[in-house]
Amino acid sequence: MIAITRGVSPAFADCELTHLSREPIDLGRARRQHAAYEAALEALGCRLERLPADPGAPDCVFVEDTAVVLDELAILTCPGAESRRREVGPVASALARHRQVVRLESEVSGEPATLDGGDVLRVGRRLFVGRSARSGEAAAAALRGLVAPHGYSVELVELRDCLHLKTAVTEVAEGVLLANPRWVDLAPFAGTRIVAVDSEEPFAANALRIGVEVVLHAAAYPRTRRRLQAAGVQVRTVEVDELAKAEGGVTCCSIVLAE
Ligand code: CIR
């Protein structure tokens, strides 16, 4: 496995914020947590490809939002926040070494087709797209056009009160989802086993699955961690609370792809 990561920008404190209020961010601590996150990925068998930070892109550490990567191709997004669009180019160059790279149309029927990778959850051959402030129907239609020939379906999922679909639901094992049912309509996932986050840990649904059996999960959520372990999921923890002040979680900081 390869994990593409990107350094924390010196302008990190100027990140986009939607649901959280701005708190002072300790850049050194954010960078130490990010380095530990990268080390955890390496320990789990990922070969890291680190991209340098962009001082003009406060959110560049959150590489997940710039692309949707499948085994067959990589799709570059047009991120919903304008400040984040310049992040796509360097990730595109890195992806081009591993995949055919295509760009999502920026408009469909006159509607902007913006998409954040954090809004796209793959479960087998199904791609779920969260309808968020960043992503919507036009992007889902554009994505469908690119992936249908490869045998993937695309379905929209309704969200509330959170930034991205993967803030509210992620896959933690084959056919097992970790979700905050208060933030996402789970009807499209009918038939799938759901592990609900502990109600005191609303942000705990963001887990990064590495390979088949293990997930990386924020250390701040011990109650949900116990639920995952009880469901038979192996959990490795990382401290990411300084990165979380910018509304980022464990999936956002990497693009993990099969070699
Ligand atoms: C943003 O608002 O775009 C960033 N501050 C956080 C992005 C987190 N990305 C993700 O959840 N995939």
Side-chain angles (χ1 to χ4, degrees):
M1 278 169 303
I2 297 166
I4 297 174
T5 61
R6 194 162 186 191
V8 179
S9 173
F12 189 49
D14 299 324
C15 61
E16 296 283 341
L17 285 176
T18 310
H19 297 280
L20 298 183
S21 38
R22 204 165 291 279
E23 279 186 64
I25 291 183
D26 179 336
L27 185 60
R29 186 159 186 269
R31 287 190 165 140
R32 286 192 294 280
Q33 290 189 345
H34 185 251
Y37 169 88
E38 291 181 323
L41 289 176
E42 278 186 314
L44 290 173
C46 295
R47 189 164 63 73
L48 283 190
E49 287 191 11
R50 293 190 179 90
L51 304 176
D54 177 352
D59 282 303
C60 69
V61 66
F62 301 125
V63 282
E64 170 180 57
D65 293 317
T66 60
V68 176
V69 181
L70 304 172
D71 286 345
E72 298 82 357
L73 79 169
I75 298 138
L76 305 177
T77 65
C78 175
E82 205 165 337
S83 70
R84 302 204 53 196
R85 298 199 180 138
R86 61 185 281 165
E87 296 173 26
V88 177
V91 180
S93 309
L95 286 170
R97 291 195 286 274
H98 307 290
R99 293 288 187 278
Q100 179 203 350
V101 173
V102 294
R103 190 173 283 274
L104 199 69
E105 283 171 83
S106 57
E107 236 184 64
V108 174
S109 315
E111 290 294 313
T114 62
L115 182 75
D116 281 7
D119 273 320
V120 182
L121 172 65
R122 185 181 70 79
V123 181
R125 308 300 284 186
R126 300 170 76 187
L127 301 185
F128 295 94
V129 176
R131 195 201 298 272
S132 72
R134 305 284 175 85
S135 314
E137 225 162 298
L143 186 62
R144 190 175 293 118
L146 293 172
V147 302
H150 298 283
Y152 293 89
S153 64
V154 175
E155 297 161 64
L156 269 177
V157 182
E158 302 300 329
L159 295 183
R160 66 199 80 85
D161 302 333
C162 65
L163 183 60
H164 286 133
L165 178 62
K166 279 186 271 190
T167 323
V169 56
T170 53
E171 192 186 41
V172 290
E174 201 68 33
V176 184
L177 301 178
L178 175 65
N180 177 342
R182 284 189 279 180
W183 285 351
V184 60
D185 172 22
L186 291 171
F189 304 102
T192 312
R193 183 170 167 208
I194 309 279
V195 176
V197 299
D198 186 279
S199 58
E200 287 180 27
E201 298 174 345
F203 285 93
N206 187 257
L208 176 62
R209 192 171 171 210
I210 305 288
V212 180
E213 288 178 347
V214 185
V215 301
L216 207 56
H217 196 233
Y221 310 126
R223 292 163 177 264
T224 302
R225 178 163 71 244
R226 283 195 285 277
R227 290 185 179 203
L228 283 172
Q229 288 164 336
V233 178
Q234 282 185 50
V235 185
R236 298 280 180 283
T237 57
V238 276
E239 304 265 358
V240 285
D241 51 287
E242 207 61 40
L243 298 163
K245 290 180 184 171
E247 289 190 47
V250 288
T251 64
C252 325
C253 297
S254 58
I255 296 176
V256 178
L257 51 149
E259 295 206 50

